[in-house]
Amino acid sequence: MGPTSDERLLRALYAEHGGALLGYALRLTGGDRQHAEDVVQETLLRAWRNPQALAGRPVRPWLFTVARNLVVDAHRARQARPPETGDDALAVLPVGDDIDRALESWTVAEALADLSGPHRAVLVETFYRGRSVAEAAQALGIPPGTVKSRTYYALRALKLALEERGLTP
């Protein structure tokens, strides 16, 4: 089975203009051979896809214009996006710690929700709001001794709830 007319067109374009196009692309890309070869390939592919654009005009200037536009577009695309940093930048991000902290926070919140209302209230006042025993007693309307004993038993219950969830001190 012989080559199709499209394949013959592509081969003819490459045979006649490929060398000059590669040299031009090498100058445009600053000598980057891989990039230049990619530009030549894409340019010839566009010529193959749009044979009507080649009809009735000199082919080489059209090919050179397409190649130049491809290089300019690639340069603009690189400028528009942030530079790639590689895996080294990911190693310094504190993602693991943040996730661990968030999971611990959710676990503690769930454990607090399982406590009785009076135990939860005394822990919220003393630990989360930072109130003294006297201030917590006034806010909760209970004697300071009750705040102390509830705090003791609430912490024991919280410790058990956290151990049940696999979070141990």
Side-chain angles (χ1 to χ4, degrees):
M1 180 177 195
T4 66
S5 63
D6 289 341
E7 290 172 340
R8 283 193 299 270
L9 170 67
L10 199 54
R11 286 181 183 168
L13 281 173
Y14 185 76
E16 187 175 344
H17 305 287
L21 192 56
L22 180 60
Y24 181 65
L26 277 168
R27 286 190 302 278
L28 290 175
T29 61
D32 182 350
R33 185 160 187 92
Q34 182 64 46
H35 188 202
E37 289 174 356
D38 290 345
V39 168
V40 169
Q41 183 178 2
E42 181 63 27
T43 300
L44 292 174
L45 185 63
R46 289 187 183 195
W48 174 69
R49 285 184 185 154
N50 301 303
Q52 70 279 5
L54 302 175
R57 67 169 60 177
V59 175
R60 189 168 285 185
W62 186 87
L63 292 172
F64 278 36
T65 300
V66 170
R68 182 181 57 80
N69 289 344
L70 288 170
V71 172
V72 168
D73 289 347
H75 176 73
R76 286 181 181 158
R78 280 191 307 274
Q79 300 294 35
R81 71 175 192 226
E84 296 173 5
T85 57
D87 292 340
D88 294 340
L90 295 176
V92 298
L93 291 177
V95 174
D97 291 342
D98 290 344
I99 290 173
D100 290 342
R101 223 171 314 166
L103 290 173
E104 285 177 9
S105 176
W106 291 334
T107 305
V108 170
E110 288 175 354
L112 273 172
D114 285 349
L115 297 180
S116 69
H119 284 164
R120 184 175 42 254
V122 78
L123 289 181
V124 167
E125 292 299 323
T126 55
F127 285 95
Y128 289 101
R129 293 196 174 133
R131 293 187 172 160
S132 67
V133 171
E135 292 169 336
Q138 185 178 6
L140 295 172
I142 57 176
T146 305
V147 170
K148 288 179 186 180
S149 66
R150 280 189 190 169
T151 301
Y152 174 78
Y153 289 110
L155 286 174
R156 286 183 62 185
L158 182 62
K159 181 182 177 192
L160 274 172
L162 291 173
E163 285 174 353
E164 288 173 1
R165 289 170 171 77
L167 195 65
T168 57

